Amino acid sequence: MQHQFYAINRCDSVREIQAIKEAMEAQLIRETYYVFLKFDPIYSRLESDRSQEGAHKLHLYLNQKHNDLLARNFEAGSYKKCMSLAIVDAFSAELTAHQVITILIILS
Protein backbone atom coordinates (compact mmCIF):
# COMPACT_ATOMS: atom_id res chain seq x y z
CA MET A 1 0.00 0.00 0.00
CA GLN A 2 1.45 3.34 -1.03
CA HIS A 3 0.97 6.22 1.41
CA GLN A 4 0.61 9.87 0.56
CA PHE A 5 1.79 12.43 3.10
CA TYR A 6 0.19 15.79 3.75
CA ALA A 7 1.22 18.62 6.07
CA ILE A 8 -1.66 20.39 7.78
CA ASN A 9 -1.36 24.07 8.42
CA ARG A 10 -3.66 27.03 8.72
CA CYS A 11 -2.60 28.35 5.30
CA ASP A 12 -4.44 25.63 3.38
CA SER A 13 -7.55 27.05 1.74
CA VAL A 14 -10.94 25.69 2.63
CA ARG A 15 -11.45 24.72 -1.02
CA GLU A 16 -8.22 22.69 -1.07
CA ILE A 17 -9.16 20.91 2.14
CA GLN A 18 -12.73 20.32 0.91
CA ALA A 19 -11.40 18.81 -2.33
CA ILE A 20 -9.09 16.49 -0.38
CA LYS A 21 -11.96 15.59 1.96
CA GLU A 22 -14.34 14.71 -0.87
CA ALA A 23 -11.77 12.65 -2.75
CA MET A 24 -10.74 10.69 0.31
CA GLU A 25 -14.22 10.14 1.70
CA ALA A 26 -15.30 8.69 -1.61
CA GLN A 27 -12.81 5.92 -0.96
CA LEU A 28 -13.12 5.91 2.86
CA ILE A 29 -9.37 5.69 3.24
CA ARG A 30 -6.97 7.02 5.81
CA GLU A 31 -3.88 8.91 4.76
CA THR A 32 -0.83 9.88 6.80
CA TYR A 33 -0.75 13.50 7.93
CA TYR A 34 1.77 15.48 9.95
CA VAL A 35 0.08 17.79 12.43
CA PHE A 36 2.10 20.76 13.71
CA LEU A 37 0.83 22.39 16.87
CA LYS A 38 0.94 25.98 18.03
CA PHE A 39 3.29 27.44 20.64
CA ASP A 40 3.14 25.59 23.94
CA PRO A 41 5.08 27.06 26.88
CA ILE A 42 5.37 23.66 28.58
CA TYR A 43 6.93 22.21 25.43
CA SER A 44 9.36 25.15 25.26
CA ARG A 45 10.41 24.69 28.88
CA LEU A 46 10.87 20.93 28.56
CA GLU A 47 12.65 21.22 25.20
CA SER A 48 15.22 23.60 26.67
CA ASP A 49 16.37 20.95 29.19
CA ARG A 50 19.03 19.04 27.22
CA SER A 51 19.65 16.40 29.89
CA GLN A 52 18.65 12.78 29.41
CA GLU A 53 15.96 13.20 32.06
CA GLY A 54 14.70 16.34 30.28
CA ALA A 55 14.48 14.50 26.97
CA HIS A 56 12.53 11.69 28.66
CA LYS A 57 10.09 14.16 30.25
CA LEU A 58 9.60 15.89 26.89
CA HIS A 59 8.93 12.56 25.17
CA LEU A 60 6.35 11.57 27.81
CA TYR A 61 4.67 14.98 27.72
CA LEU A 62 4.36 15.08 23.92
CA ASN A 63 3.12 11.50 23.65
CA GLN A 64 0.44 12.17 26.24
CA LYS A 65 -0.53 15.52 24.72
CA HIS A 66 -0.83 14.12 21.19
CA ASN A 67 -2.64 10.96 22.32
CA ASP A 68 -5.11 13.05 24.36
CA LEU A 69 -5.83 15.36 21.41
CA LEU A 70 -6.69 12.41 19.20
CA ALA A 71 -8.64 10.49 21.87
CA ARG A 72 -10.74 13.52 22.85
CA ASN A 73 -11.85 14.14 19.28
CA PHE A 74 -12.03 10.77 17.53
CA GLU A 75 -13.40 7.33 18.21
CA ALA A 76 -10.81 4.73 19.22
CA GLY A 77 -9.73 2.70 16.22
CA SER A 78 -10.78 5.36 13.68
CA TYR A 79 -7.22 6.72 13.50
CA LYS A 80 -3.71 5.45 13.99
CA LYS A 81 -1.09 7.67 15.58
CA CYS A 82 2.26 6.87 13.98
CA MET A 83 4.69 9.00 15.97
CA SER A 84 5.28 12.10 18.03
CA LEU A 85 8.07 14.44 17.01
CA ALA A 86 10.09 16.21 19.68
CA ILE A 87 12.21 18.51 17.51
CA VAL A 88 8.96 20.38 16.87
CA ASP A 89 5.65 19.95 18.65
CA ALA A 90 4.09 17.66 16.05
CA PHE A 91 2.84 14.16 15.38
CA SER A 92 1.91 11.99 12.44
CA ALA A 93 -1.27 9.98 12.24
CA GLU A 94 -3.34 8.09 9.73
CA LEU A 95 -6.55 10.10 9.49
CA THR A 96 -9.62 10.36 7.30
CA ALA A 97 -10.38 13.59 5.49
CA HIS A 98 -13.17 14.32 7.96
CA GLN A 99 -10.72 13.98 10.84
CA VAL A 100 -8.32 16.34 9.08
CA ILE A 101 -11.07 18.96 8.86
CA THR A 102 -11.79 18.47 12.57
CA ILE A 103 -8.12 19.00 13.48
CA LEU A 104 -7.93 22.12 11.31
CA ILE A 105 -10.94 23.55 13.15
CA ILE A 106 -9.41 22.67 16.54
CA LEU A 107 -6.07 24.29 15.61
CA SER A 108 -7.66 27.46 14.22
Side-chain angles (χ1 to χ4, degrees):
M1 176 182 197
Q2 185 178 10
H3 289 285
Q4 293 179 351
F5 296 93
Y6 302 91
I8 301 171
N9 64 52
R10 295 185 312 175
C11 297
D12 292 333
S13 75
V14 174
R15 284 194 186 128
E16 290 172 341
I17 299 300
Q18 187 65 31
I20 292 170
K21 178 181 183 260
E22 290 171 3
M24 291 173 67
E25 283 184 341
Q27 299 175 12
L28 295 176
I29 59 172
R30 292 189 312 204
E31 297 286 347
T32 303
Y33 289 85
Y34 286 88
V35 180
F36 296 86
L37 302 174
K38 296 178 183 178
F39 175 76
D40 175 357
I42 297 172
Y43 166 80
S44 294
R45 180 179 52 81
L46 292 171
E47 194 267 339
S48 68
D49 181 355
R50 301 293 181 173
S51 69
Q52 186 173 358
E53 182 181 350
H56 181 70
K57 286 180 182 178
L58 177 62
H59 172 75
L60 292 176
Y61 172 73
L62 289 178
N63 265 328
Q64 188 65 47
K65 176 182 172 180
H66 300 155
N67 289 342
D68 288 349
L69 174 71
L70 291 165
R72 269 194 321 269
N73 293 287
F74 307 121
E75 186 176 323
S78 69
Y79 63 89
K80 178 184 173 192
K81 183 178 147 218
C82 302
M83 71 176 96
S84 286
L85 304 172
I87 196 160
V88 293
D89 185 0
F91 64 93
S92 68
E94 293 178 10
L95 304 167
T96 66
H98 185 269
Q99 290 169 324
V100 169
I101 299 297
T102 301
I103 287 182
L104 283 170
I105 291 168
I106 292 166
L107 297 180
S108 299

